[in-house]
Amino acid sequence: MKPNARPNCPDFSSGPCAKRPGWSPEALKDAATGRSHRSKLGKKKLAEVIDRTRALLGIPADYRIGIVPASDTGAVEMALWSMLGARGVDVLTWESFGEGWANDVIKQLKLADARTLNAPYGQLPDLQLVDWGRDVVFTWNGTTSGVRVPHADWIRDDREGLAICDATSAVFAMDLPWTKLDVVTWSWQKVMGGEGAHGMLVLSPRAVARLTSYTPAWPLPKIFRMTSGGKLSEGIFKGETINTPSMLAVEDAIDGLAWGEQAGGLQGLIARSNANLAVIEKFVAERPWIDFLAASPSIRSNTSVCLNIVAPWFTQLDAKQQAAAAKKMADLLEAEKAGYDLGSYRDAPPGLRIWCGATVEAADVAALMPWLDWAYAEIEREFTAQAA
C-alpha cells in the first residue's frame, strides 16, 4: 500500500540542496541587483558573507576567507594549482571527488612526487599511512560515498606539509578543527541550501606563507591567481571577488547564514543534521533489505547519506540490472513526489542517496521512510518476476 503522507518538502538532492525552512524568493528582496559588486553596497554585502561565515563557524581571526568562482570545484582547483609542487603530495581517495583531485594532481599538474592512498566506496584509506612531511589533499566528507573522516587525530600539529581539505558537504554540519587544516573549501549550495557557482576558500597563515613564497612552474589562469608581485591579494579576502558574483546568490547566502544563527548557530545546525541521520539509522536497523554504504557508524556521514540494497535477490543481479533496479526505485519516489533526486551518484554503487543537511527537516525524512518501503516492494516484485 502507498503511504498516505508525503514530506512537506521532498527535496533531498545532494546539491543544490534543500532551501532553508520557510524560504521564499521574498528573502532576496534586499539583494543589490543592478549594482556593481565593486560598489560600496556590493562590497558590503560580500564582506557580510565573509564576516558572518567566520562568526558562525568559529574560524580563527588570522585565517583568510575568500569568495571565489566556480563553486567548491573552483576553490579546490585554485588551491591545487597555486600551492602544490613545493613538496611531495599525498592524495586520499575513497569516492569520486577525491579521485578527481588525484587525477588533477597526477595527470594535469603531472607532479612526479605524488602518491594516492585509496579505499573503495564505503571505506577509508589507512589514515596512519599519511606522510605529513608532504602536502595532503583529502575530502572531509565523501559526498558520493557517505563516508567521512571520523576525527582529526591523524592530522599532525607539527606537520610540514599543508592539509588541503575539500569540506563542501561537511561545513556547517560537522565540527571542523580549523587549526588542523590549512586550506578548506566548500560551496553555498550544500549544507546551507544556497545557490550554485560560488565557492568559499579558507587559508591558514601557513597556506598564505606558501602562496607568497612559492611560484608554481606552470602558468595560472587569472581566476586562480591569489598573489600579485609576491604578495597576497588581500582584497579577495575582503569581498573583492576575482570575477563578478551573482548579487542574488550573495543575498541568498546572507539569508542562509542569518537563518543558521537563529537555528542555534553551528551546534544547532550540526544537531539538525544528526537528527535527520538518526531517523534513517532507526529505519535501516529495522529492515533487512537496506544498509549504509559506509562500513561503520564512526565514518557515517550525517549529510550525504548513502544506502545500499542488500537483499539476496538484489545482490544476485548483475551490475547493469542492479543499476536499473535502483534507478527504478528513485524514479518511483520522484513520480510520487515523495522524494526528489534520490539516486546514487553515477560512479557509486547502485543504491540511494538522501541529503540530510541542516536545511532538511527531520519530519520530512521520517515521512520519506515509508515510501522507501513501498518503492522497494515495487522493484522487488518487478525484478524477481523477471528473474523467474
Coordinates of all heavy atoms in Angstrom, one line a residue, residues 266-358:
L266 N 26.3 27.0 14.9 CA 26.9 25.8 14.4 C 26.4 24.6 15.1 O 26.1 23.6 14.4 CB 28.4 25.9 14.5 CG 29.2 24.7 14.0 CD1 28.9 24.4 12.6 CD2 30.7 24.9 14.3
Q267 N 26.4 24.6 16.4 CA 25.9 23.4 17.1 C 24.5 23.1 16.8 O 24.1 21.9 16.8 CB 26.2 23.5 18.6 CG 27.6 23.7 19.0 CD 28.5 22.5 18.4 OE1 28.1 21.3 18.5 NE2 29.6 22.9 17.8
G268 N 23.7 24.1 16.6 CA 22.3 23.8 16.3 C 22.2 23.2 14.9 O 21.3 22.3 14.7
L269 N 23.0 23.7 13.9 CA 23.0 23.1 12.6 C 23.5 21.7 12.6 O 22.9 20.8 11.9 CB 23.8 24.0 11.7 CG 23.4 25.4 11.5 CD1 24.4 26.2 10.7 CD2 22.0 25.4 10.8
I270 N 24.5 21.4 13.4 CA 25.0 20.0 13.5 C 23.9 19.1 14.1 O 23.7 18.0 13.6 CB 26.3 20.0 14.3 CG1 27.5 20.7 13.6 CG2 26.7 18.5 14.7 CD1 28.7 20.9 14.5
A271 N 23.3 19.6 15.1 CA 22.2 18.8 15.7 C 21.1 18.5 14.7 O 20.5 17.4 14.8 CB 21.6 19.5 16.9
R272 N 20.7 19.4 13.9 CA 19.7 19.2 12.9 C 20.1 18.1 11.9 O 19.3 17.2 11.6 CB 19.4 20.5 12.1 CG 18.6 21.5 12.9 CD 18.3 22.8 12.1 NE 17.5 22.5 10.9 CZ 16.2 22.5 10.9 NH1 15.5 22.8 12.0 NH2 15.5 22.3 9.8
S273 N 21.4 18.1 11.4 CA 21.8 17.1 10.5 C 21.9 15.7 11.3 O 21.5 14.7 10.7 CB 23.2 17.4 10.0 OG 23.2 18.6 9.2
N274 N 22.3 15.7 12.5 CA 22.4 14.5 13.3 C 21.0 13.9 13.5 O 20.8 12.6 13.4 CB 23.1 14.7 14.6 CG 24.6 14.9 14.5 OD1 25.2 14.6 13.5 ND2 25.2 15.4 15.5
A275 N 20.0 14.8 13.7 CA 18.6 14.3 13.9 C 18.1 13.6 12.6 O 17.4 12.6 12.7 CB 17.7 15.4 14.3
N276 N 18.4 14.2 11.5 CA 18.0 13.6 10.2 C 18.6 12.2 10.0 O 17.9 11.3 9.6 CB 18.4 14.5 9.1 CG 17.6 15.8 9.1 OD1 16.5 15.9 9.6 ND2 18.2 16.9 8.6
L277 N 19.9 12.1 10.3 CA 20.6 10.8 10.2 C 20.0 9.8 11.1 O 19.8 8.6 10.7 CB 22.1 11.0 10.5 CG 22.9 9.7 10.6 CD1 22.8 8.9 9.3 CD2 24.3 10.0 11.0
A278 N 19.6 10.2 12.3 CA 19.1 9.3 13.3 C 17.8 8.7 12.8 O 17.5 7.5 13.1 CB 18.8 10.0 14.6
V279 N 17.0 9.4 12.1 CA 15.7 8.9 11.5 C 16.0 7.7 10.6 O 15.4 6.6 10.6 CB 14.9 10.0 10.8 CG1 13.7 9.3 10.0 CG2 14.4 11.0 11.7
I280 N 17.0 7.9 9.7 CA 17.4 6.9 8.8 C 18.1 5.7 9.5 O 17.8 4.5 9.1 CB 18.3 7.4 7.7 CG1 17.6 8.5 6.9 CG2 18.8 6.3 6.7 CD1 18.4 9.2 5.9
E281 N 18.9 6.0 10.5 CA 19.5 4.9 11.2 C 18.5 3.9 11.9 O 18.6 2.7 11.8 CB 20.4 5.4 12.3 CG 21.7 6.1 11.7 CD 22.6 6.7 12.8 OE1 22.1 7.2 13.8 OE2 23.8 6.6 12.7
K282 N 17.4 4.5 12.4 CA 16.4 3.7 13.0 C 15.7 2.9 11.9 O 15.4 1.7 12.1 CB 15.4 4.6 13.7 CG 14.2 3.8 14.4 CD 13.3 4.8 15.2 CE 12.3 4.0 16.0 NZ 11.4 3.2 15.2
F283 N 15.4 3.5 10.8 CA 14.7 2.8 9.7 C 15.6 1.6 9.2 O 15.1 0.5 9.1 CB 14.5 3.8 8.6 CG 13.9 3.2 7.3 CD1 12.5 3.0 7.2 CD2 14.7 2.8 6.3 CE1 11.9 2.5 6.1 CE2 14.1 2.2 5.1 CZ 12.7 2.1 5.0
V284 N 16.9 1.9 9.0 CA 17.7 0.8 8.5 C 17.9 -0.3 9.5 O 17.9 -1.5 9.1 CB 19.1 1.4 8.1 CG1 20.1 0.3 7.8 CG2 19.0 2.4 6.9
A285 N 18.0 0.0 10.7 CA 18.2 -1.0 11.8 C 17.0 -2.0 11.8 O 17.2 -3.1 12.3 CB 18.4 -0.3 13.1
E286 N 15.9 -1.6 11.4 CA 14.6 -2.4 11.5 C 14.3 -3.1 10.2 O 13.3 -3.8 10.1 CB 13.5 -1.5 11.9 CG 13.6 -0.9 13.3 CD 12.5 0.2 13.6 OE1 11.8 0.6 12.6 OE2 12.4 0.6 14.7
R287 N 15.2 -3.0 9.2 CA 14.9 -3.6 7.9 C 16.1 -4.4 7.4 O 17.2 -3.9 7.3 CB 14.5 -2.6 6.9 CG 13.0 -2.1 7.2 CD 12.7 -0.8 6.6 NE 11.4 -0.4 6.9 CZ 11.0 0.1 8.1 NH1 11.8 0.2 9.1 NH2 9.7 0.4 8.3
P288 N 15.9 -5.7 6.9 CA 17.0 -6.5 6.4 C 17.4 -6.2 5.0 O 18.5 -6.6 4.6 CB 16.4 -7.9 6.5 CG 15.0 -7.7 6.3 CD 14.6 -6.4 7.0
W289 N 16.6 -5.4 4.2 CA 16.9 -5.2 2.8 C 17.8 -4.1 2.5 O 18.2 -3.9 1.4 CB 15.6 -5.1 2.0 CG 14.7 -3.9 2.4 CD1 13.7 -3.9 3.3 CD2 14.8 -2.6 1.8 NE1 13.1 -2.6 3.3 CE2 13.8 -1.9 2.4 CE3 15.6 -2.0 0.8 CZ2 13.5 -0.5 2.1 CZ3 15.4 -0.7 0.5 CH2 14.3 0.0 1.1
I290 N 18.1 -3.2 3.5 CA 18.8 -2.0 3.3 C 19.9 -1.8 4.3 O 19.7 -2.2 5.5 CB 17.8 -0.8 3.2 CG1 18.5 0.5 2.7 CG2 17.2 -0.5 4.6 CD1 17.5 1.6 2.4
D291 N 21.0 -1.2 3.9 CA 22.1 -0.9 4.8 C 22.8 0.3 4.3 O 22.7 0.8 3.2 CB 23.0 -2.1 4.9 CG 23.9 -2.1 6.2 OD1 23.7 -1.2 7.0 OD2 24.6 -3.1 6.4
F292 N 23.7 0.9 5.2 CA 24.5 2.0 4.9 C 25.7 1.5 4.0 O 26.2 0.5 4.2 CB 25.0 2.7 6.1 CG 24.0 3.4 6.9 CD1 23.3 2.8 7.9 CD2 23.7 4.7 6.6 CE1 22.3 3.5 8.6 CE2 22.7 5.4 7.3 CZ 22.0 4.8 8.3
L293 N 26.1 2.4 3.0 CA 27.3 2.1 2.3 C 28.5 2.2 3.1 O 29.4 1.4 3.0 CB 27.3 3.1 1.1 CG 28.5 3.0 0.1 CD1 28.7 1.6 -0.4 CD2 28.4 4.0 -1.0
A294 N 28.5 3.2 4.1 CA 29.6 3.3 5.0 C 29.8 2.1 5.8 O 28.8 1.5 6.4 CB 29.4 4.5 5.9
A295 N 31.0 1.6 5.9 CA 31.3 0.3 6.5 C 31.1 0.3 8.0 O 30.8 -0.8 8.6 CB 32.7 -0.1 6.2
S296 N 31.2 1.5 8.7 CA 31.0 1.5 10.1 C 30.3 2.8 10.5 O 30.5 3.8 9.8 CB 32.3 1.3 10.9 OG 33.1 2.5 10.7
P297 N 29.6 2.9 11.7 CA 29.0 4.1 12.1 C 29.9 5.3 12.3 O 29.6 6.4 12.2 CB 28.3 3.7 13.4 CG 28.0 2.2 13.3 CD 29.2 1.7 12.5
S298 N 31.2 5.0 12.7 CA 32.1 6.0 13.0 C 32.5 6.9 11.8 O 33.0 8.0 12.0 CB 33.4 5.4 13.7 OG 34.1 4.6 12.7
I299 N 32.3 6.3 10.6 CA 32.7 7.1 9.4 C 31.4 7.4 8.6 O 31.5 7.8 7.4 CB 33.7 6.3 8.5 CG1 33.1 4.9 8.1 CG2 35.0 6.1 9.3 CD1 34.0 4.2 7.1
R300 N 30.3 7.3 9.2 CA 29.0 7.5 8.5 C 28.7 9.0 8.4 O 28.7 9.7 9.4 CB 27.9 6.8 9.3 CG 26.5 6.7 8.6 CD 25.6 5.9 9.5 NE 26.0 4.5 9.5 CZ 25.5 3.6 10.4 NH1 24.6 4.1 11.4 NH2 25.8 2.4 10.4
S301 N 28.4 9.5 7.2 CA 28.1 10.9 7.0 C 26.7 11.2 7.6 O 25.8 10.4 7.6 CB 28.0 11.2 5.5 OG 27.6 12.5 5.3
N302 N 26.6 12.5 8.1 CA 25.3 12.9 8.5 C 24.7 13.9 7.5 O 23.7 14.6 7.8 CB 25.4 13.6 9.9 CG 26.2 14.9 9.9 OD1 26.9 15.2 9.0 ND2 26.1 15.6 11.0
T303 N 25.3 14.0 6.4 CA 24.7 14.9 5.3 C 24.3 14.0 4.1 O 23.2 13.8 3.8 CB 25.7 16.0 4.9 OG1 26.9 15.5 4.5 CG2 25.9 17.0 6.1
S304 N 25.3 13.5 3.4 CA 25.1 12.7 2.2 C 25.0 11.3 2.6 O 26.0 10.5 2.5 CB 26.2 12.9 1.2 OG 27.5 12.7 1.7
V305 N 23.8 10.9 3.0 CA 23.6 9.5 3.5 C 23.4 8.5 2.3 O 22.4 8.6 1.6 CB 22.4 9.5 4.5 CG1 22.2 8.1 5.0 CG2 22.6 10.5 5.6
C306 N 24.3 7.6 2.2 CA 24.3 6.7 1.0 C 23.9 5.3 1.5 O 24.4 4.8 2.5 CB 25.7 6.6 0.4 SG 26.2 8.2 -0.4
L307 N 22.9 4.7 0.8 CA 22.3 3.4 1.2 C 22.5 2.4 0.1 O 22.4 2.7 -1.0 CB 20.9 3.6 1.6 CG 20.6 4.7 2.7 CD1 19.1 5.0 2.8 CD2 21.1 4.2 4.0
N308 N 22.7 1.1 0.6 CA 22.8 0.0 -0.3 C 21.5 -0.9 -0.2 O 21.0 -1.0 0.9 CB 24.0 -0.9 0.0 CG 25.2 -0.4 -0.8 OD1 25.1 0.4 -1.7 ND2 26.4 -0.9 -0.4
I309 N 21.1 -1.5 -1.2 CA 20.1 -2.6 -1.2 C 20.8 -3.9 -1.0 O 21.7 -4.2 -1.9 CB 19.2 -2.6 -2.4 CG1 18.5 -1.2 -2.6 CG2 18.2 -3.7 -2.4 CD1 17.8 -1.1 -3.9
V310 N 20.6 -4.6 0.1 CA 21.4 -5.8 0.4 C 20.6 -7.1 0.4 O 21.1 -8.1 0.8 CB 22.1 -5.6 1.8 CG1 23.1 -4.5 1.7 CG2 21.1 -5.3 2.9
A311 N 19.3 -7.0 -0.1 CA 18.5 -8.2 -0.1 C 19.2 -9.2 -1.1 O 19.8 -8.8 -2.1 CB 17.1 -7.9 -0.6
P312 N 19.1 -10.5 -0.8 CA 19.7 -11.5 -1.6 C 19.4 -11.5 -3.1 O 20.2 -11.6 -4.0 CB 19.3 -12.8 -1.0 CG 19.1 -12.5 0.5 CD 18.5 -11.1 0.5
W313 N 18.1 -11.2 -3.4 CA 17.7 -11.2 -4.8 C 18.4 -10.1 -5.5 O 18.7 -10.2 -6.7 CB 16.1 -11.1 -4.9 CG 15.6 -9.7 -4.5 CD1 15.1 -9.3 -3.3 CD2 15.5 -8.5 -5.3 NE1 14.8 -8.0 -3.3 CE2 15.0 -7.5 -4.5 CE3 15.8 -8.2 -6.7 CZ2 14.8 -6.2 -5.0 CZ3 15.6 -6.9 -7.1 CH2 15.1 -5.9 -6.3
F314 N 18.6 -8.9 -4.8 CA 19.2 -7.8 -5.5 C 20.7 -8.1 -5.7 O 21.3 -7.8 -6.8 CB 19.0 -6.6 -4.6 CG 19.6 -5.3 -5.2 CD1 18.8 -4.5 -6.1 CD2 20.9 -4.9 -5.0 CE1 19.3 -3.4 -6.7 CE2 21.4 -3.7 -5.5 CZ 20.6 -2.9 -6.4
T315 N 21.4 -8.6 -4.7 CA 22.8 -8.8 -4.8 C 23.2 -9.9 -5.8 O 24.3 -9.9 -6.3 CB 23.4 -9.2 -3.4 OG1 22.8 -10.4 -3.0 CG2 23.2 -8.1 -2.4
Q316 N 22.2 -10.7 -6.2 CA 22.4 -11.7 -7.2 C 22.2 -11.2 -8.7 O 22.6 -11.9 -9.6 CB 21.5 -12.9 -7.0 CG 21.8 -13.7 -5.7 CD 20.7 -14.7 -5.3 OE1 19.8 -14.9 -6.1 NE2 20.8 -15.2 -4.1
L317 N 21.7 -10.0 -8.8 CA 21.6 -9.4 -10.1 C 23.0 -8.9 -10.6 O 23.9 -8.7 -9.8 CB 20.7 -8.1 -10.0 CG 19.3 -8.3 -9.6 CD1 18.6 -7.0 -9.5 CD2 18.5 -9.2 -10.5
D318 N 23.2 -8.8 -11.9 CA 24.5 -8.3 -12.4 C 24.5 -6.8 -12.2 O 23.4 -6.2 -11.9 CB 24.7 -8.7 -13.8 CG 23.7 -8.2 -14.8 OD1 23.2 -7.0 -14.6 OD2 23.4 -8.9 -15.8
A319 N 25.6 -6.1 -12.5 CA 25.8 -4.7 -12.2 C 24.8 -3.9 -13.0 O 24.2 -2.9 -12.4 CB 27.2 -4.3 -12.5
K320 N 24.5 -4.2 -14.2 CA 23.6 -3.4 -15.0 C 22.2 -3.6 -14.5 O 21.4 -2.6 -14.4 CB 23.7 -3.9 -16.5 CG 22.8 -3.1 -17.4 CD 23.0 -3.6 -18.9 CE 22.2 -2.7 -19.8 NZ 22.4 -3.2 -21.3
Q321 N 21.8 -4.8 -14.1 CA 20.4 -4.9 -13.5 C 20.3 -4.2 -12.2 O 19.2 -3.7 -11.9 CB 20.2 -6.4 -13.3 CG 20.0 -7.2 -14.6 CD 20.0 -8.7 -14.4 OE1 20.7 -9.3 -13.6 NE2 19.1 -9.4 -15.1
Q322 N 21.3 -4.3 -11.3 CA 21.3 -3.6 -10.1 C 21.1 -2.1 -10.3 O 20.3 -1.4 -9.6 CB 22.6 -3.8 -9.3 CG 22.7 -5.2 -8.7 CD 23.9 -5.3 -7.8 OE1 24.8 -4.4 -7.7 NE2 24.1 -6.5 -7.2
A323 N 21.8 -1.5 -11.2 CA 21.7 -0.1 -11.5 C 20.3 0.3 -12.0 O 19.7 1.3 -11.6 CB 22.7 0.3 -12.6
A324 N 19.7 -0.6 -12.8 CA 18.4 -0.4 -13.3 C 17.3 -0.5 -12.2 O 16.4 0.3 -12.2 CB 18.1 -1.4 -14.4
A325 N 17.5 -1.4 -11.3 CA 16.6 -1.6 -10.2 C 16.6 -0.4 -9.3 O 15.6 0.2 -8.8 CB 16.9 -2.8 -9.4
A326 N 17.8 0.1 -8.9 CA 18.0 1.2 -8.0 C 17.4 2.5 -8.7 O 16.8 3.3 -8.0 CB 19.5 1.4 -7.7
K327 N 17.7 2.6 -10.0 CA 17.2 3.8 -10.7 C 15.6 3.8 -10.7 O 15.0 4.8 -10.5 CB 17.7 3.9 -12.1 CG 17.3 5.1 -12.9 CD 17.8 5.1 -14.3 CE 17.4 6.4 -15.0 NZ 16.0 6.6 -15.1
K328 N 15.1 2.6 -10.9 CA 13.6 2.5 -11.0 C 13.0 2.9 -9.6 O 12.0 3.6 -9.5 CB 13.2 1.0 -11.3 CG 11.7 0.8 -11.3 CD 11.0 1.6 -12.4 CE 9.5 1.3 -12.5 NZ 9.2 -0.1 -13.0
M329 N 13.7 2.5 -8.5 CA 13.2 2.9 -7.2 C 13.2 4.4 -7.0 O 12.3 5.0 -6.5 CB 14.1 2.2 -6.1 CG 13.6 2.4 -4.7 SD 14.6 1.3 -3.6 CE 13.8 1.8 -2.0
A330 N 14.3 5.1 -7.4 CA 14.4 6.5 -7.3 C 13.4 7.2 -8.2 O 12.7 8.2 -7.8 CB 15.8 7.0 -7.7
D331 N 13.1 6.6 -9.4 CA 12.1 7.2 -10.3 C 10.7 7.1 -9.7 O 9.9 8.0 -9.9 CB 12.2 6.5 -11.7 CG 13.5 6.8 -12.5 OD1 14.1 7.8 -12.1 OD2 13.7 6.1 -13.4
L332 N 10.4 6.0 -9.1 CA 9.1 5.8 -8.5 C 8.9 6.8 -7.4 O 7.8 7.4 -7.3 CB 9.0 4.4 -7.9 CG 8.8 3.2 -8.9 CD1 9.0 1.9 -8.1 CD2 7.5 3.3 -9.5
L333 N 9.9 7.1 -6.6 CA 9.8 8.1 -5.5 C 9.6 9.5 -6.1 O 8.8 10.2 -5.5 CB 11.0 8.0 -4.6 CG 11.2 6.7 -3.8 CD1 12.6 6.6 -3.3 CD2 10.2 6.6 -2.7
E334 N 10.3 9.8 -7.2 CA 10.1 11.1 -7.8 C 8.7 11.2 -8.4 O 8.0 12.2 -8.3 CB 11.2 11.3 -8.8 CG 11.0 12.7 -9.5 CD 12.3 13.2 -10.2 OE1 13.4 12.6 -9.9 OE2 12.2 14.1 -10.9
A335 N 8.2 10.2 -9.1 CA 6.9 10.2 -9.7 C 5.8 10.4 -8.7 O 4.8 11.1 -9.0 CB 6.7 8.9 -10.5
E336 N 6.0 9.9 -7.5 CA 5.0 10.0 -6.5 C 5.2 11.3 -5.7 O 4.4 11.6 -4.7 CB 5.1 8.9 -5.5 CG 4.6 7.5 -6.1 CD 3.1 7.5 -6.4 OE1 2.4 8.3 -5.8 OE2 2.7 6.7 -7.3
K337 N 6.2 12.1 -6.0 CA 6.5 13.4 -5.3 C 6.8 13.1 -3.8 O 6.5 14.0 -3.0 CB 5.4 14.4 -5.5 CG 5.1 14.8 -6.9 CD 4.0 15.8 -7.1 CE 3.8 16.2 -8.6 NZ 2.8 17.2 -8.7
A338 N 7.4 12.0 -3.6 CA 7.7 11.6 -2.2 C 9.2 12.0 -1.9 O 9.5 12.3 -0.8 CB 7.6 10.1 -2.0
G339 N 10.0 12.0 -2.9 CA 11.4 12.4 -2.7 C 12.1 12.6 -4.1 O 12.0 11.7 -4.9
Y340 N 12.8 13.7 -4.2 CA 13.5 14.0 -5.5 C 14.9 13.7 -5.4 O 15.6 13.9 -4.3 CB 13.2 15.5 -5.9 CG 11.8 15.8 -6.1 CD1 11.3 17.1 -5.7 CD2 10.9 14.9 -6.6 CE1 10.0 17.5 -5.9 CE2 9.5 15.3 -6.9 CZ 9.1 16.6 -6.5 OH 7.8 16.9 -6.7
D341 N 15.5 13.3 -6.5 CA 17.0 13.2 -6.7 C 17.6 12.3 -5.7 O 18.7 12.6 -5.1 CB 17.6 14.6 -6.6 CG 17.0 15.6 -7.5 OD1 16.8 15.3 -8.7 OD2 16.6 16.8 -7.1
L342 N 17.0 11.1 -5.5 CA 17.5 10.2 -4.5 C 18.4 9.1 -5.1 O 18.9 8.2 -4.3 CB 16.3 9.5 -3.8 CG 15.4 10.4 -3.0 CD1 14.1 9.8 -2.6 CD2 16.2 10.9 -1.7
G343 N 18.7 9.1 -6.3 CA 19.6 8.1 -6.9 C 21.0 8.3 -6.5 O 21.5 9.4 -6.2
S344 N 21.7 7.2 -6.4 CA 23.2 7.3 -6.0 C 23.9 8.0 -7.1 O 23.5 8.1 -8.3 CB 23.7 5.9 -5.7 OG 23.6 5.1 -6.9
Y345 N 25.1 8.5 -6.8 CA 26.0 9.2 -7.8 C 26.4 8.2 -8.8 O 26.5 7.0 -8.6 CB 27.2 9.7 -7.1 CG 28.0 10.7 -7.9 CD1 27.6 11.9 -8.2 CD2 29.2 10.3 -8.4 CE1 28.3 12.8 -9.0 CE2 30.0 11.1 -9.2 CZ 29.5 12.4 -9.5 OH 30.3 13.2 -10.2
R346 N 26.6 8.7 -10.1 CA 26.8 7.8 -11.2 C 28.0 6.9 -11.1 O 28.0 5.8 -11.6 CB 26.9 8.6 -12.5 CG 28.1 9.6 -12.5 CD 28.2 10.4 -13.8 NE 29.3 11.3 -13.8 CZ 29.2 12.6 -13.4 NH1 28.1 13.0 -13.1 NH2 30.3 13.4 -13.5
D347 N 29.0 7.3 -10.3 CA 30.2 6.4 -10.1 C 30.1 5.5 -8.9 O 31.0 4.7 -8.7 CB 31.5 7.3 -10.1 CG 31.7 8.0 -11.3 OD1 31.3 7.5 -12.4 OD2 32.3 9.1 -11.3
A348 N 29.1 5.7 -8.1 CA 29.0 5.0 -6.8 C 28.2 3.7 -7.0 O 27.5 3.5 -8.1 CB 28.2 5.8 -5.8
P349 N 28.3 2.8 -6.1 CA 27.5 1.5 -6.2 C 26.0 1.9 -6.3 O 25.6 2.8 -5.7 CB 27.8 0.8 -4.9 CG 29.2 1.3 -4.5 CD 29.2 2.7 -4.9
P350 N 25.2 1.1 -7.0 CA 23.8 1.4 -7.1 C 23.1 1.4 -5.8 O 23.3 0.5 -4.9 CB 23.3 0.2 -8.0 CG 24.5 -0.3 -8.8 CD 25.6 -0.1 -7.8
G351 N 22.3 2.4 -5.6 CA 21.6 2.5 -4.3 C 20.8 3.8 -4.2 O 20.4 4.4 -5.2
L352 N 20.7 4.3 -3.0 CA 20.0 5.6 -2.8 C 21.0 6.6 -2.1 O 21.9 6.1 -1.3 CB 18.8 5.4 -2.0 CG 17.7 4.5 -2.6 CD1 16.6 4.3 -1.5 CD2 17.1 5.1 -3.8
R353 N 20.8 7.9 -2.3 CA 21.5 8.9 -1.5 C 20.5 9.9 -1.1 O 19.8 10.5 -1.9 CB 22.6 9.5 -2.4 CG 23.4 10.6 -1.6 CD 24.6 11.0 -2.5 NE 24.2 11.6 -3.8 CZ 25.0 12.4 -4.5 NH1 26.2 12.7 -4.0 NH2 24.6 12.8 -5.7
I354 N 20.4 10.1 0.3 CA 19.4 11.0 0.8 C 20.2 12.2 1.5 O 21.0 11.9 2.5 CB 18.5 10.3 1.9 CG1 17.9 9.1 1.2 CG2 17.5 11.3 2.5 CD1 17.1 8.2 2.2
W355 N 20.0 13.4 1.1 CA 20.6 14.5 1.7 C 20.0 14.8 3.0 O 18.7 15.0 3.1 CB 20.6 15.7 0.8 CG 21.3 16.9 1.4 CD1 20.8 18.0 2.0 CD2 22.7 17.1 1.5 NE1 21.7 18.8 2.5 CE2 23.0 18.3 2.2 CE3 23.8 16.3 1.1 CZ2 24.3 18.8 2.4 CZ3 25.1 16.8 1.4 CH2 25.3 18.0 2.0
C356 N 20.8 14.9 4.1 CA 20.3 15.2 5.4 C 20.9 16.4 6.1 O 20.9 16.5 7.3 CB 20.5 13.9 6.3 SG 19.5 12.5 5.9
G357 N 21.4 17.3 5.3 CA 22.0 18.5 5.8 C 21.0 19.4 6.6 O 19.8 19.1 6.7
A358 N 21.5 20.4 7.2 CA 20.7 21.2 8.2 C 19.4 21.8 7.7 O 18.5 22.1 8.5 CB 21.6 22.2 8.8

